[in-house]
Coordinates of all heavy atoms in Angstrom, one line a residue:
S99 N 50.4 107.9 169.4 CA 50.3 108.3 167.9 C 49.5 107.4 167.1 O 48.7 107.8 166.3 CB 51.8 108.3 167.4 OG 51.7 108.6 166.0
A101 N 47.0 105.5 168.3 CA 45.6 105.7 168.7 C 45.0 107.0 168.1 O 43.8 107.0 167.7 CB 45.6 105.8 170.2
V109 N 38.1 108.4 159.4 CA 37.5 109.5 158.8 C 37.9 109.6 157.3 O 37.0 109.8 156.4 CB 37.9 110.8 159.5 CG1 37.5 112.1 158.7 CG2 37.3 110.9 160.9
K110 N 39.1 109.3 157.0 CA 39.6 109.3 155.6 C 38.8 108.2 154.8 O 38.4 108.5 153.7 CB 41.1 109.0 155.5 CG 41.9 110.2 155.9 CD 43.4 109.9 155.8 CE 44.3 111.0 156.2 NZ 45.7 110.7 156.2
E115 N 34.7 106.8 150.8 CA 33.5 106.0 150.5 C 32.4 107.0 150.1 O 31.6 106.7 149.1 CB 33.0 105.2 151.7 CG 31.7 104.5 151.5 CD 31.6 103.5 150.3 OE1 32.7 103.2 149.7 OE2 30.5 103.2 149.9
Y132 N 26.2 120.0 137.5 CA 27.3 121.0 137.4 C 27.3 121.9 138.6 O 26.3 122.1 139.4 CB 27.1 121.8 136.1 CG 25.8 122.7 136.2 CD1 25.9 124.0 136.8 CD2 24.6 122.3 135.7 CE1 24.8 124.8 136.9 CE2 23.5 123.1 135.8 CZ 23.6 124.3 136.4 OH 22.5 125.1 136.5
N136 N 28.5 132.4 138.2 CA 27.5 133.2 137.6 C 28.1 134.3 136.8 O 27.9 135.5 137.0 CB 26.5 133.8 138.7 CG 25.4 134.5 138.1 OD1 24.8 134.0 137.1 ND2 25.0 135.6 138.6
V149 N 28.2 114.9 131.0 CA 28.3 115.9 130.0 C 28.8 115.4 128.6 O 28.4 115.9 127.6 CB 29.3 117.0 130.5 CG1 30.8 116.5 130.5 CG2 29.2 118.3 129.6
E159 N 37.2 119.5 129.2 CA 37.1 120.5 128.2 C 36.3 121.7 128.6 O 36.5 122.8 128.1 CB 36.6 119.9 126.9 CG 37.5 118.9 126.2 CD 36.9 118.3 125.0 OE1 35.8 117.6 125.1 OE2 37.5 118.4 123.9
D170 N 29.1 128.9 125.2 CA 29.3 128.7 123.8 C 28.5 127.6 123.2 O 28.2 127.6 122.0 CB 30.8 128.4 123.5 CG 31.8 129.5 123.9 OD1 31.4 130.7 123.9 OD2 32.9 129.1 124.2
I172 N 25.3 127.0 124.1 CA 23.9 127.5 124.1 C 23.6 128.2 122.8 O 24.3 129.1 122.4 CB 23.5 128.3 125.3 CG1 23.8 127.6 126.6 CG2 22.1 128.8 125.3 CD1 23.6 128.4 127.9
D176 N 18.9 131.7 122.2 CA 18.3 131.3 123.6 C 19.2 131.8 124.7 O 18.8 131.8 125.9 CB 18.3 129.8 123.7 CG 17.4 129.1 122.7 OD1 16.5 129.8 122.1 OD2 17.5 127.9 122.4
A186 N 17.0 136.7 137.2 CA 15.7 137.0 137.9 C 15.5 136.0 139.1 O 15.0 136.4 140.2 CB 14.5 136.9 137.0
P193 N 14.9 128.7 142.8 CA 15.5 127.9 141.8 C 15.0 128.3 140.4 O 14.0 129.0 140.3 CB 14.9 126.5 142.1 CG 14.4 126.5 143.5 CD 14.0 128.0 143.7
N197 N 14.5 125.9 129.5 CA 14.5 125.1 128.3 C 15.2 125.9 127.2 O 14.8 127.0 127.0 CB 13.0 124.7 127.8 CG 12.4 123.7 128.7 OD1 12.8 122.5 128.6 ND2 11.4 124.1 129.5
H213 N 17.5 122.5 135.6 CA 17.0 122.9 136.9 C 18.2 123.2 137.7 O 19.1 122.4 137.9 CB 16.2 121.8 137.5 CG 15.5 122.2 138.8 ND1 16.1 122.1 140.0 CD2 14.3 122.7 139.0 CE1 15.3 122.5 140.9 NE2 14.1 122.9 140.3
S220 N 26.4 132.7 154.2 CA 25.6 133.2 155.3 C 25.3 134.7 155.2 O 24.4 135.2 155.9 CB 26.3 132.8 156.7 OG 27.6 133.4 156.7
F230 N 21.3 120.7 137.2 CA 21.3 119.5 136.4 C 20.7 119.9 135.1 O 19.7 120.6 135.0 CB 20.4 118.5 137.2 CG 20.2 117.2 136.4 CD1 21.3 116.3 136.3 CD2 19.0 116.9 135.8 CE1 21.1 115.1 135.6 CE2 18.8 115.7 135.2 CZ 19.9 114.8 135.1
T235 N 15.1 116.5 123.8 CA 14.9 116.6 122.4 C 13.7 115.7 121.9 O 12.8 116.2 121.2 CB 16.1 116.3 121.6 OG1 17.2 117.1 122.0 CG2 15.9 116.5 120.1
K238 N 10.4 117.1 123.0 CA 10.1 118.3 122.2 C 9.5 117.9 120.9 O 8.5 118.5 120.4 CB 11.3 119.2 122.0 CG 11.6 120.1 123.2 CD 10.6 121.3 123.1 CE 11.1 122.4 124.1 NZ 10.1 123.4 124.1
R252 N -8.2 120.4 114.1 CA -9.0 121.5 114.4 C -9.4 122.2 113.1 O -10.5 122.7 112.9 CB -8.2 122.5 115.3 CG -9.1 123.7 115.8 CD -8.5 124.7 116.7 NE -7.4 124.2 117.5 CZ -6.2 124.6 117.4 NH1 -5.8 125.5 116.5 NH2 -5.2 124.1 118.2
N253 N -8.4 122.3 112.2 CA -8.7 122.9 110.9 C -9.7 122.2 110.1 O -10.6 122.8 109.5 CB -7.3 123.0 110.1 CG -7.4 124.1 109.0 OD1 -8.3 124.9 108.9 ND2 -6.4 124.0 108.1

Side-chain angles (χ1 to χ4, degrees):
S99 176
V109 170
K110 286 181 182 178
E115 175 58 16
Y132 69 87
N136 185 41
V149 70
E159 291 175 302
D170 296 336
I172 300 174
D176 301 339
N197 282 290
H213 187 273
S220 58
F230 179 71
T235 305
K238 278 283 193 185
R252 187 178 334 114
N253 201 11

